[in-house]
Amino acid sequence: MKESRGKILIIDDDPFFQKVLSDAFNENGFTVFNASDGIEGIKVFLEKAPDAVLSDLVMPRMGGVSTCMEIGRLAGDKQPVIVLLTSMFHEPPHEHDAPDMGAKVHIPKSTKAVDIVIIVEQLLGRKKIQQG
């Protein structure tokens, strides 16, 4: 068993989308944890300390914005890469200088799973460089 390239937490209430994305990350050597809403997502985040969190925007119980902001707050100095997945915006994936709605990166859900993996890989790679 080769070493994991990182831990990814996927928070989404759509089981099909969650599986497609989980499979894509698994196939690329990542360890994946899943949660079906923000409350569960925060619990898993605290237990597993993932390197990246991908959260759906619209979910029951606790939406993506609150989830991302709470994870950012709880993470303190050890900020994961936080990505907000949304089906509401159709512009290409983009990064903000400061977190917007709790996440620096917004990716439309229509983006191919493999492309989402590539974006997260790049963000994790850049984060490693910045941390030295």
Side-chain angles (χ1 to χ4, degrees):
M1 172 133 173
K2 62 185 202 310
E3 195 183 326
S4 168
R5 298 181 58 204
K7 295 185 287 186
I8 308 290
L9 169 57
I10 299 169
I11 309 170
D12 199 306
D13 59 331
D14 176 345
F16 177 74
F17 183 79
Q18 197 180 68
K19 176 163 177 21
V20 168
L21 206 48
S22 295
D23 288 351
F25 276 103
N26 276 321
E27 284 160 19
N28 284 280
F30 289 92
T31 303
V32 181
F33 306 105
N34 288 303
S36 55
D37 66 39
I39 292 171
E40 191 189 328
I42 288 167
K43 197 168 143 269
V44 176
F45 173 78
L46 291 170
E47 284 168 14
K48 306 294 185 187
D51 303 298
V53 176
L54 286 80
S55 175
D56 187 13
L57 180 60
V58 181
M59 296 180 289
R61 296 209 302 166
M62 186 177 205
V65 175
S66 305
T67 301
C68 291
M69 291 174 108
E70 184 62 10
I71 285 173
R73 189 184 70 77
L74 291 166
D77 298 339
K78 297 194 168 17
Q79 287 293 321
V81 167
I82 300 177
V83 175
L84 203 52
L85 298 165
T86 169
S87 39
M88 287 175 16
F89 309 119
H90 296 293
E91 62 237 42
H94 61 282
E95 194 170 356
H96 304 276
D97 293 330
D100 182 34
M101 303 197 298
K104 280 185 96 165
V105 183
H106 295 191
I107 301 178
K109 276 187 120 174
S110 55
T111 308
K112 286 207 234 47
V114 65
D115 291 338
I116 296 176
V117 172
I118 291 165
I119 293 166
V120 171
E121 282 175 337
Q122 289 170 341
L123 293 165
L124 287 170
R126 195 174 341 138
K127 189 171 167 228
K128 273 200 184 96
I129 293 164
Q130 285 169 349
Q131 289 175 339

